[in-house]
Amino acid sequence: MKKDTYTEKTFGIESDITSYDKDGNLNEGVEILSLDSIVANPNQPRKKFDQNLLEELAISIKNYGVIQPIIVCPTDDGKYQIVAGERRFRASKLAGNNTIPVIKKYYTPKKIKEISLIENLQRQDLNPIEEAQAYKSLIDEYDFTQEQLADRLGKSRPAITNSLRLLGLNPVVIDMVVNGRLSAGHARCLTSIKDYIVQNTYALAACDKQLSVRQLELMVRNYLNPKTKDKKPVELSVELKDLANIMQKKFGTRVNAVGNNNKGRIFIDYYSTADLDRIFEILEQIK
């Protein structure tokens, strides 16, 4: 990916400066601050920090120190808010350090948030939902168009668009992506389905059956474009439609009814053993 000068030149974040020179002296512009005087950025786009990776970084810091200083900005209460480098800050605490090398910058709160979003997106260590939320914040709060944002980050506009679509998913499915149960590729397949219940059912099927993205795409395509029969189906009565909808919400899966008020069939879809067990438990509760 091309090097983005937006962060480094516009905001003055020196991405390549080290804390100490070859003789062990602080480099120019670097200071030492107490960890107690530093506070996290409440608008940090990354909400989840991998504990194992933090512990690995803490071991590195114990052995070699904080090689790259973090960026902080003074606050009105005498503290310093992190602009970039929260992982190093957290790992330094884990390592048992009391201080950390920093570079002080002076930004408005809005500019701090903007820099944090850009910095994290450039590092590409956000989960797919955090990444989409960061894109949305930059577009909503800083009037970037998708084209402008794509150009700033060295990405394609369709990549930005597809990422933003993830935010329209069922919140349950979003949690599955955040927790790593469902990949971004699988989640993008589900954005074409507007029914939250069906989204959730297909997401569970993808996890339980370890479906590939291609397999899930095929399932979604069949759902959106069901095979039509030559014989015109009988129009369901309002009562049967209502019954199917009630059952669909109760069982959390797709329910279809065919026939009329005199006779017919009701189909309850399931996509895995776990899905079938869940439906059975609901029936047991009804009994």
Side-chain angles (χ1 to χ4, degrees):
M1 187 176 74
K2 68 180 182 181
K3 189 175 181 66
D4 188 347
T5 57
Y6 177 65
T7 297
E8 295 177 357
K9 290 185 177 179
T10 305
F11 298 130
I13 294 182
E14 296 84 354
S15 61
D16 58 348
I17 192 170
T18 56
S19 301
Y20 301 93
D21 62 22
K22 63 181 180 179
D23 297 320
N25 300 312
L26 284 174
N27 277 316
E28 184 179 357
V30 181
E31 302 178 38
I32 298 295
L33 286 182
S34 165
L35 289 174
D36 292 335
S37 68
I38 299 172
V39 295
N41 180 355
N43 295 311
Q44 160 69 253
R46 189 195 306 127
K47 305 303 180 186
K48 293 178 69 70
F49 289 82
D50 188 299
Q51 189 63 27
N52 292 329
L53 293 179
L54 280 178
E55 290 173 358
E56 289 178 8
L57 182 56
I59 293 173
S60 174
I61 288 174
K62 280 183 179 180
N63 293 329
Y64 305 106
V66 179
I67 296 174
Q68 185 181 3
I70 69 173
I71 311 298
V72 298
C73 180
T75 62
D76 293 337
D77 59 1
K79 298 280 188 177
Y80 293 87
Q81 184 180 115
I82 298 172
V83 177
E86 186 165 341
R87 284 185 68 252
R88 279 163 281 162
F89 171 74
R90 290 177 177 238
S92 293
K93 283 189 170 183
L94 278 178
N97 291 0
N98 296 317
T99 60
I100 191 170
V102 306
I103 295 175
K104 294 178 183 176
K105 294 291 180 180
Y106 297 87
Y107 301 119
T108 64
K110 184 175 181 180
K111 188 64 70 177
I112 291 174
K113 183 177 181 181
E114 185 179 357
I115 295 170
S116 296
L117 289 167
I118 294 289
E119 192 260 349
N120 275 279
L121 286 169
Q122 286 179 325
R123 291 179 182 274
Q124 296 183 321
D125 57 359
L126 301 178
N127 69 53
I129 299 303
E130 290 172 337
E131 183 177 335
Q133 290 169 336
Y135 291 153
K136 189 174 187 303
S137 292
L138 287 167
I139 289 170
D140 291 348
E141 298 181 34
Y142 304 99
D143 297 324
F144 283 125
T145 65
Q146 290 188 23
E147 289 80 7
Q148 289 171 332
L149 187 57
D151 182 63
R152 296 287 192 185
L153 297 172
K155 295 179 178 289
S156 67
R157 190 196 62 76
I160 302 294
T161 301
N162 288 332
S163 178
L164 291 170
R165 292 174 65 196
L166 298 180
L167 300 179
L169 288 168
N170 180 343
V172 176
V173 177
I174 286 177
D175 284 341
M176 294 172 70
V177 178
V178 170
N179 294 322
R181 293 185 61 199
L182 199 68
S183 75
H186 288 88
R188 280 193 290 271
C189 293
L190 300 175
T191 57
S192 300
I193 299 176
K194 304 309 176 186
D195 188 317
Y196 272 12
I197 294 175
V198 178
Q199 272 186 18
N200 188 41
T201 300
Y202 278 34
L204 289 171
C207 293
D208 294 341
K209 300 175 72 173
Q210 296 185 328
L211 299 177
S212 67
V213 173
R214 175 61 183 155
Q215 288 172 317
L216 184 58
E217 283 178 344
L218 183 59
M219 285 177 59
V220 172
R221 188 179 302 118
N222 290 337
Y223 168 78
L224 296 174
N225 302 288
K227 294 180 180 179
T228 57
K229 297 181 180 180
D230 294 336
K231 186 178 178 180
K232 185 177 180 180
V234 178
E235 181 71 20
L236 293 179
S237 67
V238 174
E239 291 79 6
L240 272 177
K241 286 182 180 179
D242 288 343
L243 176 60
N245 286 334
I246 291 171
M247 292 180 68
Q248 182 164 289
K249 291 178 181 178
K250 183 66 177 178
F251 293 124
T253 189
R254 192 177 183 186
V255 175
N256 285 318
V258 295
N260 52 41
N261 289 341
N262 295 321
K263 64 178 182 179
R265 290 189 181 95
I266 294 176
F267 299 91
I268 301 173
D269 291 354
Y270 65 92
Y271 301 93
S272 66
T273 302
D275 213 14
L276 184 59
D277 289 341
R278 180 177 58 79
I279 293 172
F280 179 76
E281 289 175 3
I282 294 173
L283 289 172
E284 284 292 303
Q285 293 173 4
I286 294 176
K287 288 169 57 179

